[in-house]
Amino acid sequence: MNFIDSSICLENCMLASSSVYRRQLFLIRSLGGYCCRVHMEGGGRAISSSLSTLGADAEGVMRKITPKLDPSLYKGQAGKVAVIGGCREYTGAPYFAAISALKIGADLSHVFCTKDAAAVIKSYSPELIVHPILEESYSVRDDEKATVSAKVLGEVKKWMERFDCIVVGPGLGRDPFLLNCVGDIIRQARDAKIPTVIDGDGLFLVTNKLDLVKGNSLAILTPNVNEYKRLVEKVLQCQVNDEDAYEQLSSLARSIGGVTILRKGKTDLISDGLTVNEVSIFGSPRRCGGQGDILSGSVAVFSSWARHHLSTKNNESSMQSSLNPMVLGSIAGSALLRKAASLAFENKKRSTLTTDIIECLGKSLEDICPAF
């Protein structure tokens, strides 16, 4: 479907007076075109004039928001990402998220983890900046908890405003003291207006403490099947309804105050409560652990790039300011992971591992967005 067809499709599906219509039509013109699929009842009447469901032109989004490499750029301008996660049991997940961010094109990638995890994560790659500052309950006496917590938050605060995006949750574990500290880190990021991608055990934390993300338009939740089920039960107090998946996802995002939700599945669905976007590019039938960590690192980079792209002087306009960079970043991150997974599976078939997919991220992005 070309640009004209896409525009006509959207114009026929939505009322000209709708703010969502104006927002999405501008998105079409800015980012290369969409195929609109609004749910219809018999006779062609739209079920809801406030919700549009779009099959995203993910490659168009990537081309638009991915920065070209320029000799005049200095270290850090292409993105500085931090991963909050990693404990005794789980050291691979934060590494996968952090190294994926670098492989896509971020300049710097940090990991804030427990002391037990730090040496292991450092041994995986010298490219990562590792901060061994998080603590678990077993290493902190009850009378020390307030002091230790304040020290952890102080250390993170020194760095927070340097980051373009943080990822919370990969390999975090569920230690109560650690989760309490990370909850305060999420609040710090919110106060500093730092986009925050929440995955894995970070989703366990925010599902039980929704106030951490409620109303934060810079928060992205990336639940898998079980994590999404818990969110729906907690927030909407009902069961997952796949027959009305788009409306339920949109309702969930609105109920949490306009956060962006990337529901992972055979088709990834992305909503900020205003629209629902689909990414259905074929990925890989191989479901090795760690792909969600690649996704969280990818979404972090693309969201920071989208935010920068939309904030530049050349892109300023009342329409442009209404676009949601968290949605654009989620679309791009989802699509790139799927393309990299497909490429890795072509080469390795059943033996495909997460590290194989990570190695395909660069080529997959280069095929869509050449560096020069």
Side-chain angles (χ1 to χ4, degrees), residues 210 228-240 247-256:
L210 287 170
Y228 184 74
K229 179 176 180 287
R230 288 193 287 268
L231 267 175
V232 168
E233 291 174 347
K234 174 76 172 185
V235 178
L236 301 181
Q237 298 182 346
C238 63
Q239 297 300 308
V240 173
E247 185 60 55
Q248 187 174 65
L249 175 61
S250 181
S251 177
L252 180 62
R254 288 194 302 271
S255 297
I256 310 178

Side-chain angles (χ1 to χ4, degrees), residues 80-94:
K80 303 177 291 294
V81 173
V83 177
I84 314 296
C87 62
R88 283 183 298 172
E89 291 86 357
Y90 307 116
T91 57

